[in-house]
Amino acid sequence: MRKRLLTLLLAIYAGSLAAAPDEGNLGKAQGYPVGSASTWFYDESVRVGSFTAQGEIPGIFSGKANVLAASDIPMALPLRNGEPSFRWSMDQKKDLTVDDYLARQRVMGLLIVKDGVIQVERYQYDRGPANRFLSNSMAKTITSMAIGIALQEGKIHSLDDHAERYAPQLGGTLYGGTTIRNLLRMSSGVRFTENYDGKDDRKRYDDALTRTDIVSAAKLLTEREAPQGTRFSYSSPETDMLGVVLQGATGMSLSDYLTPRLWQAIGAETSALWRADRTGMVRASGSFNATLRDYARLGIVLANDGVRPDDPQQKQIIPREYLLEATDWHRVPEAFQPGKATSSYGYGYQVWLSPGEKRRFALVGVYGQMIFVDPELRLVMVQTSAAAEAKPAMMFKEANALWRGVVQEYGSW
C-alpha cells in the first residue's frame, strides 16, 4: 500500500521541481494570484489563479456560479503502475516525451486515460487534483449533450424546431428564428466576430450580458450575413442560446438539469461550478469549472458512446444516436466536414471532428483547454492550460502531435 501511494504521488507531481514555462509572467512570485471580474480573462499575470478559481470570483457576468453536485458513487480511476514511454515527432524534433511537452507548454494539468485507467497525470504551477480548472469552450460540448438528453426525453421535439418555440423571449431575434440544429452546428449565419482582442463582437456581447442578461445581449446581433445552415462560423452566443432553449424546454437551469442526468450519472467525484448571469441563466458557452479527473470521467463516458463503463446495467447516459450524430464527421453535411468547416477540423454538434477515417473528436477551449477522445481505443487525453494567447497555434500543433503519439502507443492513426 505504501509503495502504491508513493507511486501515485510521484506520478502526480513528477516534474514539479523543474520550472514550468513562464512562471514569472504567470504570477509564481505572488503565489499565482486570482484576478477580479474585470481582469480574470485577459490578464495573464492572474491566469493560473483565475483559471483555477473562476467559479469563486465575485461579480463575473454580474451573477454567481451554479453548483452541480458530485455523485454518491464516483467512477473509480485506478492508476497504472508507471507511465508508458510515449514518443512522437514534430517538425525536426524527434523522440519527444511528455517531459519535453510540459517543459515547453503552459500546461496546468495533463491526464491520459486508457480503458478507464490513468496512464499519465501531471500538474504544473502548483496546481493539483483538488483544483477545479476552467473549461472555457469545452463547456459547449456539455451543453450539446444536454440538448441530446432533452431530445431523448421528449422535452425537445425536434432539432429542426426554431429556438423561439422553447424560448419565446428570443422571439423577434435572429437566434429565435434559427433552428436548434443550426445553433448546434454554429451555422445561424448571424454576423459575429470572436477573436479575443477585447475589441470584437464577443467583448461587446459579454459587456451587454454583464449589464443586463444573456437574452438582452442576443438582441444586439441584428445582421444575418449567410442563410442559416449553409456554413460554419464560430460564435459563442449560439451556445448560450442553446442554454436558453434548454431552460425553456425543461423549466430547469442547464446546471440543475444536468446534475443528475450527466454530472452525477458519469460518477463525478467533485462538485462542478458553472457561472450564470444575474438572472441565474447559465453561461452555456463556457465558464464551467471541474477537476481534471472529472473531465476525464466525462471523456470516458463519451469514449464509451454515452455509457458509464463500470455501470453493471450499462444505462445510456447520453443518447447513443445523438452522440454519434454529434461526433462522426461522416454524418454531417459537407460544409461541416474536416477541411471544409476549417482547414483541418470539422464541426459537429458543438464538438470538433478530427480528420481521418476513424471517429475521433475533441472538446476545445481558448487558452489551451482540450479533451481528445478516441472511442475505438477507449482513450482520452485531458489538458488544462494558461497559454499566452487565446488561440495558441503552436500549443495546439504540439498537443495534436502528442495525441497522435498516444494513439499510436495503443493502436494506429
Side-chain angles (χ1 to χ4, degrees):
M1 179 63 72
R2 291 184 63 184
K3 182 178 179 181
R4 178 169 175 78
L5 178 59
L6 178 59
T7 302
L8 174 63
L9 292 174
L10 288 174
I12 290 175
Y13 296 107
S16 62
L17 296 179
D22 303 325
E23 290 177 333
N25 293 343
L26 293 169
K28 180 177 176 62
Q30 294 76 40
Y32 297 113
V34 176
S36 66
S38 62
T39 64
W40 71 272
F41 188 73
Y42 290 106
D43 184 351
E44 76 164 3
S45 70
V46 297
R47 189 158 296 151
V48 169
S50 297
F51 279 22
T52 49
Q54 194 255 12
E56 294 91 350
I57 297 173
I60 292 180
F61 312 133
S62 296
K64 62 178 183 63
N66 293 352
V67 178
L68 292 82
S71 173
D72 291 334
I73 309 174
M75 181 195 299
L77 284 182
L79 178 70
R80 170 187 164 128
N81 185 20
E83 289 186 359
S85 56
F86 299 120
R87 293 291 187 273
W88 65 95
S89 301
M90 189 186 74
D91 299 332
Q92 302 304 311
K93 302 180 180 70
K94 308 294 184 183
D95 206 33
L96 294 170
T97 68
V98 170
D99 288 338
D100 293 326
Y101 181 64
L102 296 179
R104 281 194 297 273
Q105 302 296 344
R106 294 175 168 193
V107 173
M108 295 187 291
L110 178 69
L111 195 150
I112 300 169
V113 180
K114 164 68 173 159
D115 294 324
V117 178
I118 295 174
Q119 311 292 298
V120 172
E121 185 173 14
R122 301 283 199 95
Y123 298 92
Q124 300 192 116
Y125 306 108
D126 299 339
R127 306 301 97 173
N131 286 112
R132 292 190 185 95
F133 295 89
L134 177 65
S135 68
N136 287 325
S137 291
M138 296 194 303
K140 291 179 168 67
T141 308
I142 298 174
T143 298
S144 173
M145 297 306 107
I147 295 294
I149 294 169
L151 184 68
Q152 177 73 23
E153 290 183 344
K155 304 292 186 183
I156 292 173
H157 302 289
S158 170
L159 296 184
D160 295 314
D161 288 340
H162 291 125
E164 60 194 8
R165 172 173 179 176
Y166 304 96
Q169 64 270 48
L170 293 177
T173 69
L174 295 181
Y175 290 130
T178 301
T179 68
I180 297 170
R181 192 185 308 277
N182 288 334
L183 290 173
L184 283 166
R185 287 181 175 150
M186 290 205 180
S187 61
S188 72
V190 175
R191 182 188 180 280
F192 190 84
T193 56
E194 188 159 351
N195 51 33
Y196 310 99
D197 63 359
K199 303 173 184 177
D200 56 359
D201 289 334
R202 163 70 185 253
K203 181 65 164 59
R204 184 166 64 100
Y205 172 81
D206 283 357
D207 288 347
L209 76 84
T210 298
R211 290 193 309 271
T212 55
D213 54 57
I214 289 170
V215 171
S216 298
K219 297 176 180 178
L220 296 177
L221 305 171
T222 58
E223 180 184 349
R224 199 187 296 272
E225 59 184 3
Q228 64 170 292
T230 61
R231 75 178 193 189
F232 168 74
S233 182
Y234 193 83
S235 176
S236 287
E238 310 214 359
T239 320
D240 288 339
M241 298 312 116
L242 291 171
V244 178
V245 167
L246 189 285
Q247 184 160 317
T250 65
M252 304 170 68
S253 71
L254 181 57
S255 51
D256 286 347
Y257 183 73
L258 284 182
T259 294
R261 291 169 175 83
L262 184 71
W263 200 241
Q264 293 175 335
I266 68 170
E269 188 175 21
T270 306
S271 61
L273 302 177
W274 208 338
R275 298 300 307 219
D277 70 11
R278 65 175 70 239
T279 71
M281 184 75 71
V282 166
R283 187 72 194 274
S285 60
S287 293
F288 187 88
N289 298 263
T291 66
L292 203 66
R293 292 177 186 173
D294 282 340
Y295 282 128
R297 290 178 171 99
L298 172 63
I300 289 168
V301 170
L302 293 173
N304 283 271
D305 291 339
V307 173
R308 179 172 165 173
D310 62 346
D311 177 10
Q313 298 180 345
Q314 294 292 283
K315 178 183 176 183
Q316 200 74 39
I317 298 170
I318 303 164
R320 185 175 185 274
E321 281 305 307
Y322 178 88
L323 184 54
L324 292 175
E325 192 172 333
T327 60
D328 187 345
W329 71 257
H330 298 85
R331 298 190 178 207
V332 305
E334 183 179 0
F336 305 95
Q337 293 176 3
K340 299 292 185 179
T342 73
S343 60
S344 54
Y345 275 68
Y347 202 75
Y349 292 159
Q350 303 285 299
V351 63
W352 295 95
L353 310 180
S354 301
E357 283 306 305
K358 295 186 178 182
R359 180 168 67 100
R360 298 188 184 96
F361 54 93
L363 293 65
V364 179
V366 290
Y367 296 106
Q369 324 316 315
M370 307 171 196
I371 301 175
F372 293 96
V373 180
D374 185 322
E376 180 181 272
L377 296 176
R378 299 293 191 265
L379 186 62
V380 175
M381 185 173 86
V382 184
Q383 172 182 299
T384 56
S385 174
E389 301 171 343
K391 298 179 180 180
M394 184 51 66
M395 171 183 276
F396 196 66
K397 179 180 180 179
E398 190 162 0
N400 270 287
L402 163 58
W403 173 235
R404 184 179 288 265
V406 171
V407 168
Q408 290 175 335
E409 174 76 14
Y410 302 107
S412 64
W413 191 259

